[in-house]
Amino acid sequence: MLAELTANAVADAESRRAERPLAEVESAALARPAAIDALAALRPAQHVKVIAEIKRSSPSRGSLAAIDDPAALARTYELGGASAISVLTEGRKFGGSLADLESVRQAVSLPVLRKDFIATPYQVFEARAAGADLVLLIVAALDDDTLRELYALITELGMTALVETHSADELDRAAQLGARLIGVNARDLTTFELDRDLFGRLADRFPEGAIRVAESAVLTAADVAHYRAAGADAVLVGEALVTGDPISNLSAFMAV
Ligand SMILES: O=C(O)c1ccccc1NCC(=O)[C@H](O)[C@H](O)COP(=O)(O)O
């Protein structure tokens, strides 16, 4: 499934590239004002930081929420105390787009993550051109050379990579990159099974000083407490926020 999602995302980017060549997207990326410092926004604090996601649908859960106005939802997340906004820009399975990211960028002053299946420099330039401050890199989807190349480009463009892992081996690869923001995703991207204990099993393996993000499977404050007790500095939450009351959920999550 991950290979298919990534191949589709790359194919869709190639279609966009036929309309908007690399040189044009690169100039638009370089012309943007400086990216917001996501590492500062997500710095470990007394309370757990929340990266709040704009998520309409997903392969594992189908349709979740209509979200006609992603900018309005992002403003609600900001009001509720989120530290960053994640925008799923994949169109086929998640119903997202770069237009969503652009509208969210204009609506909030928080750092904005492009959450997608990124495997080419073109997609990274697109992210910056649309106003992203963070870009997701899924270690399992990338060989070492591509991972290094994309990580370096994200950094050169002044953005922060959220490097997503699912195993000790992938965490070691993230550490070798020098990644400062590392996630462990509880969702197996092939079987979609959720394992809230995976983060805890890998917590000792994070490199010193990296910000530790627990991704997926937060439905209640107890789930946040579980991740917090295992050492998470931040949680990335989609479903619970788009299907429930975002303000009261954010407040409950940050009270942990
Ligand atoms: O959510 C899915 O079904 C999914 C399937 C395959 C690849 C990625 C997928 N989701 C992306 C995410 O990582 C989550 O949207 C994010 O961590 C939030 O998860 P949740 O709070 O459980 O909605």
Side-chain angles (χ1 to χ4, degrees), residues 189-238:
L189 300 187
T190 304
T191 64
F192 301 149
E193 273 173 35
L194 295 172
D195 178 0
R196 287 188 187 83
D197 294 324
L198 180 64
F199 181 91
R201 291 200 298 279
L202 298 179
D204 285 351
R205 230 162 162 118
F206 278 84
E208 186 70 32
I211 298 173
R212 299 178 286 188
V213 184
E215 300 178 45
S216 301
V218 168
L219 293 175
T220 65
D223 297 327
V224 178
H226 183 75
Y227 283 140
R228 187 65 163 167
D233 301 306
V235 290
L236 196 157
V237 188

Short mmCIF file of all heavy atoms in Angstrom, two decimals, residues 189-238:
data_model
loop_
_atom_site.label_atom_id
_atom_site.label_comp_id
_atom_site.label_asym_id
_atom_site.label_seq_id
_atom_site.Cartn_x
_atom_site.Cartn_y
_atom_site.Cartn_z
N LEU A 189 1.55 1.14 7.74
CA LEU A 189 1.05 1.72 6.49
C LEU A 189 0.75 0.65 5.44
O LEU A 189 0.30 0.96 4.34
CB LEU A 189 2.01 2.78 5.94
CG LEU A 189 2.27 3.97 6.87
CD1 LEU A 189 3.08 5.05 6.19
CD2 LEU A 189 0.98 4.56 7.44
N THR A 190 0.97 -0.61 5.78
CA THR A 190 0.59 -1.69 4.87
C THR A 190 -0.69 -2.39 5.34
O THR A 190 -1.63 -2.56 4.58
CB THR A 190 1.73 -2.72 4.76
OG1 THR A 190 2.90 -2.00 4.35
CG2 THR A 190 1.43 -3.79 3.74
N THR A 191 -0.72 -2.73 6.64
CA THR A 191 -1.89 -3.47 7.15
C THR A 191 -2.93 -2.52 7.77
O THR A 191 -4.06 -2.94 8.03
CB THR A 191 -1.46 -4.45 8.25
OG1 THR A 191 -0.94 -3.68 9.35
CG2 THR A 191 -0.40 -5.41 7.75
N PHE A 192 -2.51 -1.28 8.08
CA PHE A 192 -3.34 -0.26 8.76
C PHE A 192 -3.59 -0.59 10.23
O PHE A 192 -4.36 0.09 10.89
CB PHE A 192 -4.68 -0.03 8.06
CG PHE A 192 -4.56 0.42 6.64
CD1 PHE A 192 -5.54 0.07 5.72
CD2 PHE A 192 -3.50 1.18 6.21
CE1 PHE A 192 -5.45 0.48 4.40
CE2 PHE A 192 -3.40 1.60 4.89
CZ PHE A 192 -4.38 1.25 3.99
N GLU A 193 -2.98 -1.65 10.73
CA GLU A 193 -3.16 -1.96 12.15
C GLU A 193 -2.53 -0.86 13.00
O GLU A 193 -1.49 -0.30 12.63
CB GLU A 193 -2.51 -3.30 12.49
CG GLU A 193 -3.46 -4.45 12.25
CD GLU A 193 -2.79 -5.79 12.43
OE1 GLU A 193 -1.91 -5.91 13.30
OE2 GLU A 193 -3.15 -6.70 11.66
N LEU A 194 -3.18 -0.57 14.14
CA LEU A 194 -2.66 0.47 15.04
C LEU A 194 -1.98 -0.19 16.23
O LEU A 194 -2.52 -1.13 16.82
CB LEU A 194 -3.83 1.34 15.55
CG LEU A 194 -4.54 2.16 14.47
CD1 LEU A 194 -5.78 2.83 15.06
CD2 LEU A 194 -3.62 3.22 13.88
N ASP A 195 -0.81 0.34 16.58
CA ASP A 195 -0.06 -0.20 17.72
C ASP A 195 0.42 0.99 18.55
O ASP A 195 1.49 1.56 18.29
CB ASP A 195 1.11 -1.04 17.20
CG ASP A 195 1.97 -1.60 18.33
OD1 ASP A 195 1.65 -1.34 19.51
OD2 ASP A 195 2.95 -2.29 18.02
N ARG A 196 -0.38 1.33 19.59
CA ARG A 196 -0.03 2.50 20.42
C ARG A 196 1.21 2.25 21.27
O ARG A 196 1.76 3.17 21.85
CB ARG A 196 -1.19 2.86 21.35
CG ARG A 196 -2.35 3.51 20.64
CD ARG A 196 -3.39 4.04 21.61
NE ARG A 196 -4.57 4.51 20.90
CZ ARG A 196 -5.54 3.72 20.49
NH1 ARG A 196 -5.51 2.43 20.73
NH2 ARG A 196 -6.57 4.22 19.81
N ASP A 197 1.65 1.01 21.37
CA ASP A 197 2.84 0.71 22.18
C ASP A 197 4.14 0.81 21.39
O ASP A 197 5.23 0.74 21.97
CB ASP A 197 2.72 -0.69 22.80
CG ASP A 197 1.57 -0.74 23.80
OD1 ASP A 197 1.37 0.28 24.50
OD2 ASP A 197 0.86 -1.76 23.85
N LEU A 198 4.01 0.95 20.06
CA LEU A 198 5.23 1.00 19.24
C LEU A 198 6.12 2.18 19.67
O LEU A 198 7.33 2.04 19.81
CB LEU A 198 4.85 1.12 17.75
CG LEU A 198 6.02 1.20 16.78
CD1 LEU A 198 6.85 -0.08 16.81
CD2 LEU A 198 5.52 1.46 15.34
N PHE A 199 5.49 3.36 19.88
CA PHE A 199 6.26 4.54 20.28
C PHE A 199 7.10 4.22 21.53
O PHE A 199 8.31 4.49 21.56
CB PHE A 199 5.34 5.74 20.54
CG PHE A 199 6.11 6.97 20.92
CD1 PHE A 199 6.54 7.87 19.96
CD2 PHE A 199 6.47 7.20 22.24
CE1 PHE A 199 7.30 8.98 20.30
CE2 PHE A 199 7.23 8.30 22.60
CZ PHE A 199 7.64 9.19 21.62
N GLY A 200 6.47 3.64 22.53
CA GLY A 200 7.17 3.33 23.79
C GLY A 200 8.32 2.34 23.58
O GLY A 200 9.38 2.48 24.20
N ARG A 201 8.11 1.39 22.69
CA ARG A 201 9.18 0.39 22.46
C ARG A 201 10.39 1.02 21.78
O ARG A 201 11.51 0.53 21.92
CB ARG A 201 8.65 -0.77 21.61
CG ARG A 201 7.64 -1.66 22.33
CD ARG A 201 7.52 -3.04 21.68
NE ARG A 201 7.05 -3.00 20.32
CZ ARG A 201 5.78 -2.89 19.94
NH1 ARG A 201 4.83 -2.78 20.86
NH2 ARG A 201 5.44 -2.86 18.67
N LEU A 202 10.15 2.12 21.03
CA LEU A 202 11.25 2.75 20.28
C LEU A 202 11.81 3.98 20.97
O LEU A 202 12.81 4.56 20.52
CB LEU A 202 10.77 3.14 18.87
CG LEU A 202 10.31 1.97 17.98
CD1 LEU A 202 9.83 2.48 16.63
CD2 LEU A 202 11.45 0.96 17.78
N ALA A 203 11.16 4.42 22.07
CA ALA A 203 11.49 5.73 22.67
C ALA A 203 12.97 5.88 23.01
O ALA A 203 13.54 6.95 22.83
CB ALA A 203 10.62 5.96 23.90
N ASP A 204 13.61 4.80 23.45
CA ASP A 204 15.03 4.88 23.84
C ASP A 204 15.95 5.11 22.65
O ASP A 204 17.12 5.41 22.84
CB ASP A 204 15.47 3.55 24.48
CG ASP A 204 14.93 3.43 25.87
OD1 ASP A 204 14.37 4.42 26.35
OD2 ASP A 204 15.05 2.33 26.45
N ARG A 205 15.45 4.88 21.49
CA ARG A 205 16.31 4.91 20.31
C ARG A 205 16.38 6.28 19.62
O ARG A 205 17.14 6.47 18.68
CB ARG A 205 15.78 3.89 19.31
CG ARG A 205 16.90 3.02 18.83
CD ARG A 205 16.45 1.77 18.21
NE ARG A 205 17.55 1.25 17.44
CZ ARG A 205 18.13 0.09 17.70
NH1 ARG A 205 17.71 -0.64 18.68
NH2 ARG A 205 19.12 -0.30 16.94
N PHE A 206 15.54 7.21 20.09
CA PHE A 206 15.59 8.56 19.50
C PHE A 206 16.96 9.17 19.78
O PHE A 206 17.47 9.04 20.90
CB PHE A 206 14.53 9.46 20.13
CG PHE A 206 13.15 9.31 19.56
CD1 PHE A 206 12.30 8.31 19.99
CD2 PHE A 206 12.70 10.18 18.58
CE1 PHE A 206 11.03 8.18 19.48
CE2 PHE A 206 11.42 10.05 18.05
CZ PHE A 206 10.58 9.05 18.50
N PRO A 207 17.54 9.87 18.80
CA PRO A 207 18.81 10.53 19.09
C PRO A 207 18.63 11.65 20.11
O PRO A 207 17.56 12.26 20.17
CB PRO A 207 19.25 11.08 17.73
CG PRO A 207 18.04 11.09 16.87
CD PRO A 207 17.11 10.05 17.40
N GLU A 208 19.67 11.88 20.88
CA GLU A 208 19.67 12.94 21.90
C GLU A 208 19.24 14.27 21.27
O GLU A 208 19.73 14.65 20.21
CB GLU A 208 21.11 13.05 22.43
CG GLU A 208 21.35 13.98 23.58
CD GLU A 208 20.73 13.45 24.87
OE1 GLU A 208 20.67 12.22 25.04
OE2 GLU A 208 20.29 14.30 25.66
N GLY A 209 18.31 14.94 21.91
CA GLY A 209 17.94 16.29 21.45
C GLY A 209 16.87 16.32 20.38
O GLY A 209 16.35 17.40 20.07
N ALA A 210 16.52 15.19 19.80
CA ALA A 210 15.47 15.21 18.77
C ALA A 210 14.10 15.39 19.43
O ALA A 210 13.88 14.90 20.54
CB ALA A 210 15.49 13.91 17.97
N ILE A 211 13.21 16.09 18.74
CA ILE A 211 11.83 16.23 19.23
C ILE A 211 11.07 14.97 18.82
O ILE A 211 11.12 14.55 17.67
CB ILE A 211 11.18 17.51 18.64
CG1 ILE A 211 11.96 18.74 19.12
CG2 ILE A 211 9.71 17.59 19.03
CD1 ILE A 211 11.52 20.05 18.48
N ARG A 212 10.37 14.37 19.80
CA ARG A 212 9.76 13.06 19.60
C ARG A 212 8.25 13.19 19.39
O ARG A 212 7.53 13.66 20.28
CB ARG A 212 10.06 12.18 20.81
CG ARG A 212 11.57 11.99 20.97
CD ARG A 212 11.94 11.18 22.16
NE ARG A 212 11.77 11.92 23.40
CZ ARG A 212 12.18 11.48 24.58
NH1 ARG A 212 12.74 10.30 24.70
NH2 ARG A 212 12.01 12.20 25.64
N VAL A 213 7.81 12.76 18.23
CA VAL A 213 6.39 12.91 17.87
C VAL A 213 5.74 11.54 17.79
O VAL A 213 6.23 10.64 17.10
CB VAL A 213 6.25 13.60 16.50
CG1 VAL A 213 4.77 13.84 16.17
CG2 VAL A 213 7.02 14.92 16.46
N ALA A 214 4.63 11.38 18.50
CA ALA A 214 3.82 10.15 18.39
C ALA A 214 2.70 10.44 17.39
O ALA A 214 1.90 11.36 17.60
CB ALA A 214 3.25 9.77 19.74
N GLU A 215 2.68 9.68 16.32
CA GLU A 215 1.70 9.93 15.26
C GLU A 215 0.62 8.85 15.25
O GLU A 215 0.91 7.66 15.37
CB GLU A 215 2.39 9.88 13.89
CG GLU A 215 3.49 10.89 13.67
CD GLU A 215 4.13 10.71 12.30
OE1 GLU A 215 3.37 10.55 11.31
OE2 GLU A 215 5.35 10.67 12.21
N SER A 216 -0.61 9.28 15.06
CA SER A 216 -1.78 8.41 14.85
C SER A 216 -2.30 7.77 16.14
O SER A 216 -1.58 7.63 17.13
CB SER A 216 -1.50 7.29 13.85
OG SER A 216 -1.11 7.80 12.62
N ALA A 217 -3.58 7.38 16.04
CA ALA A 217 -4.26 6.57 17.07
C ALA A 217 -4.52 7.33 18.36
O ALA A 217 -4.71 6.70 19.41
CB ALA A 217 -3.48 5.29 17.36
N VAL A 218 -4.56 8.68 18.31
CA VAL A 218 -4.99 9.43 19.49
C VAL A 218 -6.49 9.69 19.34
O VAL A 218 -6.92 10.44 18.46
CB VAL A 218 -4.26 10.79 19.60
CG1 VAL A 218 -4.93 11.68 20.65
CG2 VAL A 218 -2.80 10.58 19.95
N LEU A 219 -7.28 9.05 20.17
CA LEU A 219 -8.72 9.29 20.15
C LEU A 219 -9.17 9.99 21.43
O LEU A 219 -10.16 10.73 21.43
CB LEU A 219 -9.49 7.98 19.96
CG LEU A 219 -9.28 7.32 18.59
CD1 LEU A 219 -9.98 5.97 18.51
CD2 LEU A 219 -9.77 8.22 17.45
N THR A 220 -8.44 9.76 22.52
CA THR A 220 -8.84 10.32 23.82
C THR A 220 -7.61 10.89 24.54
O THR A 220 -6.46 10.60 24.16
CB THR A 220 -9.41 9.20 24.73
OG1 THR A 220 -8.34 8.28 25.01
CG2 THR A 220 -10.56 8.46 24.06
N ALA A 221 -7.90 11.64 25.62
CA ALA A 221 -6.80 12.17 26.44
C ALA A 221 -5.97 11.02 27.03
O ALA A 221 -4.77 11.17 27.24
CB ALA A 221 -7.36 13.06 27.54
N ALA A 222 -6.61 9.89 27.27
CA ALA A 222 -5.85 8.74 27.82
C ALA A 222 -4.80 8.26 26.81
O ALA A 222 -3.71 7.84 27.20
CB ALA A 222 -6.82 7.61 28.16
N ASP A 223 -5.13 8.36 25.53
CA ASP A 223 -4.13 7.97 24.51
C ASP A 223 -2.94 8.94 24.54
O ASP A 223 -1.79 8.53 24.41
CB ASP A 223 -4.76 7.96 23.11
CG ASP A 223 -5.88 6.94 22.98
OD1 ASP A 223 -5.78 5.88 23.62
OD2 ASP A 223 -6.85 7.21 22.24
N VAL A 224 -3.26 10.23 24.72
CA VAL A 224 -2.17 11.22 24.80
C VAL A 224 -1.32 10.94 26.04
O VAL A 224 -0.09 10.96 25.99
CB VAL A 224 -2.74 12.67 24.85
CG1 VAL A 224 -1.60 13.68 24.99
CG2 VAL A 224 -3.56 12.96 23.61
N ALA A 225 -1.99 10.64 27.16
CA ALA A 225 -1.26 10.35 28.41
C ALA A 225 -0.35 9.13 28.21
O ALA A 225 0.78 9.10 28.71
CB ALA A 225 -2.25 10.11 29.54
N HIS A 226 -0.84 8.15 27.47
CA HIS A 226 -0.05 6.93 27.20
C HIS A 226 1.23 7.30 26.43
O HIS A 226 2.33 6.87 26.78
CB HIS A 226 -0.94 5.98 26.37
CG HIS A 226 -0.32 4.66 26.06
ND1 HIS A 226 -0.19 3.66 26.99
CD2 HIS A 226 0.20 4.17 24.91
CE1 HIS A 226 0.39 2.61 26.43
NE2 HIS A 226 0.64 2.90 25.16
N TYR A 227 1.08 8.12 25.39
CA TYR A 227 2.25 8.55 24.61
C TYR A 227 3.18 9.44 25.45
O TYR A 227 4.40 9.34 25.36
CB TYR A 227 1.80 9.31 23.37
CG TYR A 227 1.28 8.46 22.23
CD1 TYR A 227 0.17 8.86 21.48
CD2 TYR A 227 1.91 7.27 21.85
CE1 TYR A 227 -0.30 8.11 20.40
CE2 TYR A 227 1.45 6.50 20.79
CZ TYR A 227 0.34 6.93 20.06
OH TYR A 227 -0.11 6.18 19.01
N ARG A 228 2.57 10.34 26.22
CA ARG A 228 3.37 11.26 27.05
C ARG A 228 4.22 10.47 28.05
O ARG A 228 5.40 10.75 28.24
CB ARG A 228 2.42 12.22 27.77
CG ARG A 228 3.09 13.34 28.54
CD ARG A 228 3.83 14.27 27.62
NE ARG A 228 4.15 15.53 28.26
CZ ARG A 228 5.01 16.40 27.76
NH1 ARG A 228 5.64 16.15 26.63
NH2 ARG A 228 5.25 17.54 28.37
N ALA A 229 3.59 9.47 28.68
CA ALA A 229 4.32 8.66 29.67
C ALA A 229 5.48 7.93 29.01
O ALA A 229 6.49 7.64 29.65
CB ALA A 229 3.36 7.68 30.33
N ALA A 230 5.33 7.63 27.73
CA ALA A 230 6.41 6.92 27.01
C ALA A 230 7.46 7.88 26.46
O ALA A 230 8.44 7.44 25.85
CB ALA A 230 5.80 6.11 25.87
N GLY A 231 7.25 9.21 26.64
CA GLY A 231 8.29 10.16 26.25
C GLY A 231 7.98 11.05 25.07
O GLY A 231 8.87 11.75 24.57
N ALA A 232 6.72 11.08 24.62
CA ALA A 232 6.40 11.93 23.45
C ALA A 232 6.40 13.41 23.84
O ALA A 232 5.86 13.78 24.88
CB ALA A 232 5.03 11.55 22.89
N ASP A 233 7.03 14.23 23.00
CA ASP A 233 6.98 15.68 23.16
C ASP A 233 5.76 16.26 22.46
O ASP A 233 5.27 17.33 22.83
CB ASP A 233 8.23 16.33 22.54
CG ASP A 233 9.51 15.80 23.17
OD1 ASP A 233 9.62 15.86 24.41
OD2 ASP A 233 10.39 15.32 22.42
N ALA A 234 5.32 15.56 21.41
CA ALA A 234 4.20 16.07 20.61
C ALA A 234 3.41 14.88 20.07
O ALA A 234 3.95 13.77 19.94
CB ALA A 234 4.73 16.91 19.44
N VAL A 235 2.14 15.13 19.78
CA VAL A 235 1.31 14.10 19.14
C VAL A 235 0.74 14.69 17.86
O VAL A 235 0.47 15.90 17.78
CB VAL A 235 0.16 13.62 20.05
CG1 VAL A 235 0.69 12.81 21.22
CG2 VAL A 235 -0.69 14.79 20.56
N LEU A 236 0.59 13.84 16.86
CA LEU A 236 -0.03 14.28 15.59
C LEU A 236 -1.40 13.62 15.52
O LEU A 236 -1.51 12.39 15.56
CB LEU A 236 0.85 13.85 14.41
CG LEU A 236 0.54 14.54 13.08
CD1 LEU A 236 1.76 14.49 12.17
CD2 LEU A 236 -0.64 13.93 12.36
N VAL A 237 -2.45 14.45 15.46
CA VAL A 237 -3.82 13.94 15.60
C VAL A 237 -4.68 14.37 14.41
O VAL A 237 -4.75 15.55 14.08
CB VAL A 237 -4.47 14.49 16.89
CG1 VAL A 237 -5.82 13.80 17.12
CG2 VAL A 237 -3.57 14.32 18.10
N GLY A 238 -5.32 13.39 13.78
CA GLY A 238 -6.24 13.68 12.68
C GLY A 238 -7.67 13.37 13.04
O GLY A 238 -8.47 14.25 13.39
#
